Every structure is written in C-alpha cells, then in structure tokens.
Amino acid sequence: MAVQRSRSVPEPGYPFSAIVGQDQLRLSLILCAVHPGIGGVLVRGEKGTAKSTVVRALATLLPAVEDEDGSRPAKLVELPVGATEDRVVGSIDLEKVLRDGERAFQPGLLAAAHRGVLYVDEVNLLHDHLVDVLLDAAAMGRVHVERDGVSHSHPAQFVLVGTMNPEEGELRPQLLDRFGLAVEVTASRDVDVRMNVVRRRMNYERDPHAFAAEFRNDDIAVAEQILAARKILDDVVLSDKELRRIAALCASFDVDGMRADLVLARTASAHAAWRGASEVAEEDVRIAAELALPHRRRRDPFDEPGIDDKQLDEAMRDAAEQAEQQPDPEPDPDGGGGAPEPEAPDDDSQSPSSDTQSSDSRDESKQPPPSSGTGSEKQAGTPGAQFRARLLEVPGVGEGAPGRRSRSRSSHGRSVRPTVEAGKGLHLVGTLFAAAEQQVVRGRTSGRLKLAPADLRGAIKEGREGNLIVFVVDASGSMAARDRLSAVTGAVLSLLRDAYQRRDKVAVITVRGKEAETVLPPTSSVDVAVTRLRKMKTGGRSPLAQGFLQARELVLRERVRDPLRRALVVALTDGRATGGTDPVGRARIAARRIASDKIASVVVDCESGMVRLGLAADFAACLGGGYVALADLSAEQVAAVVRAAA
C-alpha cells in the first residue's frame, strides 16, 4: 500500500543511480558535469529509452551554486522548441526603459542555466540559428549580446544536453560537430534488463519517496565523485605521448577542423579526473574517442554515423605507434636550426574556412555508381550526384516552421517594417519615430524623449521557412530504362539532400503498375527517405492520375495537421500515362484538382529520345505550376520555374 504524504512535500525525481543500462549516456553526462567545456552531449535514440529521465536526474547531482543569495541547488532549465532568440539570450527590459528612461537588459534562459543543466528536448526541431547560439555559449562559457543599442555580457557555464529521435529529422553535420559528445541509445533486447527497468519504474510510481531513499546513498556517492573530479581536473597531466595519440586518432578518422582534437583532450582529462587519476592514460583516450568521434564522421545526410569496434581498435593500434614516436624539435626562434617550416600548400582548399565546400565536393565524389540491373522488376539505381539541386520555392510569403527554403514571416531574419501589433520583437526605429510625432503634444521642448506604451512598435521580420516537399516519382515501364532511371534517382537524391539542408519535411509517392503508393509518409528524416528510394521498384503501367490524386490527398491531410507548413509537389515523369480508360485525360483532371486547391507544383520532365510527346509540359500547365526538363535542372531554369509558379 502506498504511503500517504503531505501535499506540500515535493515528489522526488527518478534517481540517477536507479537507471538500468545506458552506461555510455550516464558516463557522457558525468564527464560534461566534470568539465562543461567539453561542449555538451547530443543524445540520439528511439522514443521510450529514458533520455529525458537521465538528464533530469543529472541536475540533482551537480554541486550547489554559490551566489549573492547564498547557496542553492543547481538548476535544470528546459528550452522549449518554440523559444525565440529573445527568450534564449535575453532582450531589452522594455518596462524599465519606458518607466525610468534607462537602457536595461533582461537575461534569458542561458543566464538561468548558469552552473546548471540546459536541456533541449527534440533539439533537431530547433531552428539552426538558435542551436548555434546554444553551442557557442556552451563552448565559450559566456553570452555576448549586441542588439538594439544594448551591449551586455554574462557568464553561462552549463551542461548542455540535447535529445532527439532521428526518425523526426537529423541535425546538419555542421551542428553535429559542435556538440562535444554524442551517444546512441536503444532499448535493451535482454529480457532480464527489460524486466528490471519495468520493475524499478513501477516501484518508483508506487512510492517515489521510498524508491528515492533506496538509491540516495548511491546518488550521493556519484555527486561527491563529480565534485572531487572537478577539484583535481586542472591538475590532471596530459602528456605529449597521449596528446600525440589523440591527434593521430583524429587524423586517422579524417575529421574536419580541430574541434575533435580539443574535445578528445578535454574528455580524456575529465575521465582521468573522474577515476581519480593524476595523468591521462590510453584508456581515457579510447573512451573519449568512443564518445566524441562517431558523429563527426557524418558529412552528408546519406552517410551512416558511428564507428564500429573493429575500426576503433585498428585506429588505436595505429595511434599507439604514433604515440611512441618522439616529437620533432621545435624551430629555433632565432633561425638557428630546428625543423624547417612546412611549405605552404598550392591552394587554400584545406583551410578551415573552406570546410563546407571541400566536404561538398567529397560528398559528390563518394556517391555510389548507377545500378546495372535489368528487368521490369529491378530495384532503382542509386547514381552519383548528377545534379546540384537549386532552390525550388513555394511562391508568396508563409508563416510555417523555421527552415531555409521559402520566404516567411518569422521571429528571426531581417526586419522589413514596423507594426502597431505585437510583431516579432521590438522595432526600435519605428518606436522612436512614433514617439517623435507626439513630443509637441506631450509638452517636450528639450531633454530626454518622452515615451509612452502607445509608441511601441513591433517588428515584422522576414526569414525562411521549411516546406513539405511531396515527390511524385514515375516508376513505370516507360521510365525503367537504365540511363533514365539512373538520372531520375540522381535528381531525387539531390533534391532530398537539398530538402535536408533546408529543414523540409518530405514525402515520396511512386507511380507504377495499377496504382500509386505512398512509400514514405511525411517525415523530416532524410535517412528514411533515401532508404525507401533505394528500394523503389520499377515496371508496369503508369497510373499518373492516381499519383496526382494521392499527392493532393496527402497535402490536404497535412494542412489539417500543420496548417502553416506550405507544400510543394515535385513530379518527376515523362508524362506517358497508361492504364485504364483515357489515362491521359484522367491525369489532366487530377492535375487540375491540385491547381484548384492552390498547391504549388513543379514538373520535372524526364522524357528523352528522338520521339517526344510533350505530355509532361501539358501536365505542368494543368497543375498551374512550373516546368523544367530533367537535363536542364540548373539555377537559371529553376529561377524561371519559381517565377512561373508565383
């Protein structure tokens, strides 16, 4: 029977030490608690794997914070996905400005998280520019704000933890690299472990206080070990031998930049301090590599993250040989001997500022070659990147989810004009102009400007939004020629890569045989989209009417779920509809229905050969959208497509 307790006694959280399994996750959180300079932890995993539970439990283990109000427990600050930049970094204290005429700053969530834990659930759904702000603060330990005439700086040292479900979309590789550590979590398949998880959870729900008391001593021991590790961290020795091992590891995995080396060095030092050692050893470096390197190997949405044990063992053996070598003598500053300076490279292709460009070129060169399979039931090839996808926009200005595709009204971006409504933040110039018009009425002849609440003007800002991109891929027999199919799948892969970078949701409908099939419902996970596309089969008739109707139904259904996210239908077809009575006529009717619902569209004409019927262009006219030939998928053509669709 559960014990009855007073309502005034808060219910304790789930104890950190009571969590079954998830050893890597718990260790990574502890190491970031020992050394916040590591840069935070990204927790990737399926739902229901105790990600949030572990993070919330960590906050109770951190040392108490001493401030002007005395001693207080470390805080757990949760950042909502819909938070604005003002809420995160802080903003002008308008009340004080208007009341006292003084410029004042109102700190945000980053200040509240100082010396505690900042937790961002579904960090992959947070806008990229906010993720950049969080990661910069986590790495620097301070927040610098220069905006609206206010210059402010304050400390923000916290343990940053982001959790995400990869099925809901990935972070861009540039942002993945900014997280110090990353951990993949999955539910155990061991029956005994699963039983233990359920038993402990039920015991906690039955009597949280008794359950917390059972693990209190274990949690206290962990908290004391974290505090002890913090105290000796600065005295932990990182020898040249182990530093060389770290550099060799990072070089062997071909990671971009130097951030990985720094994170490995900090993580290895923190692990040595955690185990009470005075010097970093090989075991510390290996554990650091397991946590800090796998997510940095992903340069493209089609790359698989992770490092298997065999790869890491081999890299550690190679690094051990490097670690035993003596470092080269440093150059004599007076020019008398020492190692010669290395020659400058012929070009700047390896400079840090060109990381993105160089990784893009590597990505294209690494794509697999076209499939050489034949037959009407062969799988779609996965060709090299034959196209560099250009910007396809939905016409007009929307208000959808933050992204990088179509124009939108948003809480970020450039201010386009003031408004008397709330707007997206303060339009300072508009506010001052509104106040200036009232100075004579208010009796001001000199001195400070007289402001009133009625002068406030909000800012209408224009940024970019993510869209729903619905691919209708004609996989019929007329499209099944190897070269044509290879070109189509290459175009779709390029467009999928573009959708990934622009934070879109994507859906894929294939048209073949007797019907259309939604092989991928709307998702933000490009990984899943690529997997489904590579399994796409071809052959048979081309029921284009069903494909258009299914795309229309999907878009209308998504409008109910997410009314602000605008859709763009991208049809890749040669237009040769077949099957049933008057297949071309029925496809035209279906296309006109899409147009009547004001759904933006683009037809990519995949027809080739000496005899061309021009049906794809006819369907584009019925859709009321844009048209571009597959061979001409270039920046100029796509710009014309966008103008035609507007």
Side-chain angles (χ1 to χ4, degrees), residues 158-169:
F158 49 80
V159 179
L160 174 64
V161 184
T163 58
M164 59 174 282
N165 183 347
E167 293 181 359
E168 296 172 348

Side-chain angles (χ1 to χ4, degrees), residues 13-257:
Y14 199 89
F16 189 85
S17 302
I19 294 165
V20 179
Q22 309 299 8
D23 294 337
Q24 268 204 335
L25 172 56
R26 291 192 294 170
L27 178 59
S28 63
L29 292 172
I30 287 171
L31 295 180
C32 283
V34 172
H35 193 340
I38 288 172
V41 183
L42 177 65
V43 187
R44 304 172 76 255
E46 58 198 22
K47 51 186 176 293
T49 49
K51 299 189 295 292
S52 300
T53 302
V54 181
V55 175
R56 292 189 174 94
L58 172 71
T60 64
L61 305 182
L62 298 183
V65 177
E66 301 290 340
D67 55 24
E68 62 271 12
D69 298 325
S71 179
R72 62 169 176 80
K75 291 182 180 178
L76 170 69
V77 176
E78 298 192 42
L79 191 150
V81 171
T84 63
E85 186 172 354
D86 287 348
R87 183 76 181 96
V88 174
V89 302
S91 61
I92 292 176
D93 189 337
L94 291 178
E95 182 178 351
K96 192 164 186 178
V97 170
L98 295 178
R99 185 185 66 235
D100 305 328
E102 297 179 5
R103 288 184 295 181
F105 184 77
Q106 187 173 40
L109 294 175
L110 295 182
H114 181 47
R115 300 180 67 179
V117 177
L118 182 64
Y119 174 43
V120 188
D121 194 14
E122 297 181 318
V123 66
N124 51 322
L125 304 183
L126 194 67
H127 194 271
D128 286 354
H129 86 285
L130 286 182
V131 178
D132 278 328
V133 168
L134 297 179
L135 295 171
D136 280 340
M140 297 171 59
R142 295 194 67 84
V143 175
H144 299 278
V145 181
E146 300 279 349
R147 57 187 305 176
D148 297 329
V150 172
S151 177
H152 183 80
S153 176
H154 63 77
Q157 297 175 353
F158 49 80
V159 179
L160 174 64
V161 184
T163 58
M164 59 174 282
N165 183 347
E167 293 181 359
E168 296 172 348
E170 288 284 358
L171 281 171
R172 293 187 293 118
Q174 295 90 335
L175 294 179
L176 277 175
D177 178 63
R178 299 286 300 280
F179 274 96
L181 310 178
V183 180
E184 295 276 347
V185 295
T186 57
S188 174
R189 298 300 182 257
D190 185 282
V191 174
D192 291 334
V193 172
R194 297 175 76 96
M195 287 176 59
N196 199 9
V197 170
V198 174
R199 179 65 63 201
R200 289 191 177 186
R201 188 70 200 188
M202 292 179 68
N203 289 342
Y204 170 74
E205 292 171 354
R206 184 177 299 111
D207 190 341
H209 293 274
F211 187 80
E214 181 182 348
F215 292 92
R216 183 169 294 122
N217 289 338
D218 292 335
D219 271 7
I220 290 174
V222 175
E224 290 177 346
Q225 193 172 351
I226 290 175
L227 182 59
R230 281 189 173 189
K231 290 180 178 179
I232 68 170
L233 177 63
D234 289 342
D235 297 324
V236 171
V237 176
L238 176 60
S239 65
D240 285 349
K241 175 181 177 180
E242 296 308 321
L243 187 55
R244 180 174 286 272
R245 192 192 307 276
I246 288 170
L249 272 175
C250 294
S252 67
F253 282 111
D254 194 27
V255 296
D256 291 332

Side-chain angles (χ1 to χ4, degrees), residues 399 409 417-427 431 453-460:
E399 297 181 3
R409 301 281 186 259
R417 65 178 181 274
T419 175
V420 295
E421 300 174 356
K424 305 294 184 181
L426 174 70
H427 195 289
T431 298
D455 300 330
L456 289 178
R457 295 294 183 268
I460 293 179

